[in-house]
Amino acid sequence: MSIVSLSTGEPTCTLEDLKAIAGANNFAIKPGSTNETAFLLFANAFDATCEAVSSLPEYSEPRLQPQAVEGGERKYYKPDQAENPLNAWAHKTTLRLPNVKGPLSGRTIAVKDNVSVAGLPIGLGCSPKLLKDGKHPTSPIDATVVSRILAAGGTVKGTATCENLSMFALSYTSDSGVVHNAWLPEYATGGSSSGCGALVSIADVEQARKDGKDARGYPLGEGVDLAVGGDQGGSIRLPASYSGIYGLKPTHGLVPYTGIAALNPLIDHTGPMTRTVEDAALLLTVMAGWDGIDPRCSPETPMPSAVPDYLHDLQSWITTKEKAGEWTPQAAAKGLRIGILKEAFEVFGLDPAVSEAVKKAAERFSSLGAEVKEVSIPIHKHAASIWTIAARPMMPHNVNGNPPDLLSYTMPYLQPNPVDQTYFDTLANRNPAAVNVLMNAAHMQHKYGPALARKAHMHVWELRAAYDKAFEDVDVLLTPVNPTVGPRHPSGSVKSEQNPDGVSQRLMDLFEPAIGNTLNTCGFNVTGHPAMSMPVGWGKVKDGEGRLPIGMQVVAKRWNEASLFRAARSWEVGGRWMDS
């Protein structure tokens, strides 16, 4: 038995369909009742509406259409291991606009492999079998940040490897294999913007070799001047810290996320990863500003024409200090109020070596003339829990391909397959965190319902207010970034003759090294405060010979990225991090 569609006259929904639809909502409709007849009619009418939209051609947003590049056709290739020894490149290309001069002229840029670059595949670090038609789609659009980089004269050199579905804090879950740290291969680069961290740090490693400070001769491949990473819980700052570069998660909504694969609009951020403070300021100015599409932007987001010139601001501040005779190792930070966040040094799993290095770096500000004091924000201890519960229920929407609640450009060409046994079998021993997110969301719904997430959202406001209160007395807060010095990649995650796919059979070997990695970073994703990792020293690796960089997180009041740049640049007057 069926009732014909009101618009086409063709049968669509049957009584079996109606029963299944009701069952999905945890109720049943009495067979043979007038309710059954009426709701079957409603279902057919609604299905006709669905078909009307389904039959429409896809709409191409004009603001996201790619501009013609030098050479016309956009070409790319996947580099082999000889060209890509760190596995940091996903795809390589050379894209620049013809006859364009701008602040990024002559600079090379890589973008995380979740950012849309027209003509290039978007890989997400995942197996193609998780996506529609079993292949990575080719993007028809340029993300807003890509368009702005090209318009500023930059050269896009390709996409950088990222962790599987952007859901891991270390660098061994990508479907293409581990991403090696440029300072010490076989050790973590950090995730999920792992390739970005490795590619930007290559030039510093090469310079260290020229200066005789690093005699190891392992191959590195081609790097880039700058990179664009993504950060939902620390995914810019963590790899920046492990790689010895600067990584900035800007104020939420300052840089449009349009054209970038999302996890949750509440926590999605994109930002610069660079070797210098000045380059971070420059790239932020190019990328920032309202684009009229991204719902993460707010009335506080500046129009592109009103975006601060962060580099000019920094240089003007330095010039003023130079004229006052203050740009010295005794006075460069004079006038800055620095807060050392007490609870950030009490998080689970913090390596004493990391704690000591960051505290020593923080205390340098005193010798540079800043006012330095310890700041206590007790709720910081709960920041990671609040982030988890507030954000977790919506993160499966990304995996399932569902759009967010607010209007956005949803990248319709990027369609995940439904979550099923294939999803579990593909990821359980490659990236267990991605499976765990789904399990967590189901657990919350089953045991607590939506009330727990609502409560967490209320506490986000409390957490934001607590940080805001602290910024009444200090300009920046300082914390560790990663809790440990970069760990060695788990043996089961490295591809070999015995393990050609690089898939670990010991799940906890993958999961354990990442536990606690985001305890000091993820809270600022839900509160929206700008936070930057800056390199401040070295730490010895635990299970081998060598050392790796240690980063310090600098956090400022929302929309006050200028204070991050000033604090970081003044710290450098006391000595470069690599010389420590």
Side-chain angles (χ1 to χ4, degrees), residues 264 266 385-394 441 444-445 448-461:
N264 185 333
L266 173 67
S385 296
I386 293 170
W387 169 83
T388 300
I389 302 304
R392 196 56 48 95
M394 191 174 182
M444 283 179 61
Q445 182 61 34
Y448 299 97
L452 187 63
R454 292 201 304 266
K455 185 175 184 180
H457 275 246
M458 295 174 187
H459 284 296
V460 169
W461 289 105

Side-chain angles (χ1 to χ4, degrees), residues 385-407:
S385 296
I386 293 170
W387 169 83
T388 300
I389 302 304
R392 196 56 48 95
M394 191 174 182
M395 289 172 76
H397 286 208
N398 169 65
V399 175
N400 291 316
N402 294 331
D405 292 336
L406 296 175
L407 179 64

Side-chain angles (χ1 to χ4, degrees), residues 308-394:
D309 187 334
Y310 295 104
L311 178 57
H312 181 267
D313 172 87
L314 177 62
Q315 292 170 332
S316 296
W317 181 73
I318 292 172
T319 299
T320 299
K321 284 191 157 290
E322 287 174 335
K323 290 179 178 178
E326 293 181 352
W327 198 242
T328 68
Q330 294 75 40
K334 183 179 178 181
L336 293 178
R337 302 171 301 163
I338 308 295
I340 301 175
L341 181 52
K342 173 180 175 291
E343 286 77 14
F345 292 86
E346 299 170 354
V347 297
F348 169 81
L350 182 61
D351 187 326
V354 173
S355 178
E356 181 181 351
V358 175
K359 283 184 177 178
K360 183 177 179 181
E363 289 161 1
R364 178 192 284 187
F365 280 106
S366 294
S367 65
L368 289 162
E371 175 191 334
V372 180
K373 63 180 179 180
E374 185 176 77
V375 174
S376 177
I377 306 177
I379 197 175
H380 180 76
K381 290 184 176 181
H382 299 288
S385 296
I386 293 170
W387 169 83
T388 300
I389 302 304
R392 196 56 48 95
M394 191 174 182

Side-chain angles (χ1 to χ4, degrees), residues 61-345:
E61 169 56 56
R63 289 169 289 184
L64 301 178
Q65 297 311 298
Q67 298 183 59
V69 296
E70 283 186 3
E73 184 182 357
R74 294 188 175 211
K75 300 178 180 179
Y76 72 90
Y77 67 98
K78 198 168 183 64
D80 60 19
Q81 185 176 359
E83 186 180 356
N84 189 25
L86 301 179
N87 192 38
W89 288 103
H91 304 93
K92 295 190 74 174
T93 186
T94 299
L95 305 177
R96 69 174 67 90
L97 300 185
N99 305 315
V100 171
K101 299 294 183 183
L104 293 181
S105 291
R107 311 302 296 279
T108 56
I109 299 97
V111 300
K112 186 177 179 181
D113 195 21
N114 69 341
V115 178
S116 297
V117 181
L120 271 65
I122 185 163
L124 308 181
C126 74
S127 168
K129 65 176 112 177
L130 298 182
L131 303 172
K132 184 180 179 181
D133 300 325
K135 62 182 181 181
H136 295 119
T138 298
S139 173
I141 65 167
D142 279 337
T144 297
V145 293
V146 172
S147 296
R148 290 177 176 178
I149 285 168
L150 292 171
T155 299
V156 174
K157 294 294 290 183
T159 54
T161 305
C162 69
E163 296 311 294
N164 218 302
L165 299 176
S166 294
M167 292 191 201
F168 209 73
L170 293 173
S171 51
Y172 48 78
T173 70
S174 176
D175 189 64
S176 66
V178 303
V179 177
H180 298 286
N181 194 305
W183 291 102
L184 200 59
E186 306 302 336
Y187 284 79
T189 305
S192 60
S193 305
S194 46
C196 292
L199 292 174
V200 172
S201 64
I202 284 173
D204 278 341
V205 179
E206 291 176 333
Q207 186 61 50
R209 291 179 179 180
K210 291 178 183 178
D211 294 342
K213 298 176 181 178
D214 188 322
R216 289 163 291 194
Y218 45 77
L220 298 172
E222 181 185 20
V224 290
D225 299 321
L226 318 161
V228 177
D231 193 311
Q232 280 86 13
S235 289
I236 286 174
R237 291 158 288 165
L238 298 171
S241 177
Y242 281 137
S243 301
I245 63 173
Y246 292 86
L248 171 63
K249 179 202 77 65
T251 302
H252 189 251
L254 176 59
V255 179
Y257 205 82
T258 304
I260 305 177
L263 288 184
N264 185 333
L266 173 67
I267 56 176
D268 290 331
H269 298 74
T270 186
M273 300 176 72
T274 65
R275 287 189 300 283
T276 69
V277 179
E278 287 85 354
D279 278 351
L282 171 65
L283 186 53
L284 179 63
T285 300
V286 168
M287 296 195 299
W290 186 75
D291 72 344
I293 302 174
D294 184 17
R296 298 165 189 79
C297 297
S298 75
E300 295 175 284
T301 304
M303 298 295 289
S305 59
V307 170
D309 187 334
Y310 295 104
L311 178 57
H312 181 267
D313 172 87
L314 177 62
Q315 292 170 332
S316 296
W317 181 73
I318 292 172
T319 299
T320 299
K321 284 191 157 290
E322 287 174 335
K323 290 179 178 178
E326 293 181 352
W327 198 242
T328 68
Q330 294 75 40
K334 183 179 178 181
L336 293 178
R337 302 171 301 163
I338 308 295
I340 301 175
L341 181 52
K342 173 180 175 291
E343 286 77 14
F345 292 86

Side-chain angles (χ1 to χ4, degrees), residues 556-579:
K557 185 177 179 180
R558 291 183 309 119
W559 312 103
N560 190 18
E561 278 75 3
S563 286
L564 301 181
F565 299 137
R566 292 180 181 186
R569 187 64 184 87
S570 67
W571 186 90
E572 293 180 337
V573 177
R576 297 171 70 246
W577 75 272
M578 282 189 286
D579 298 330

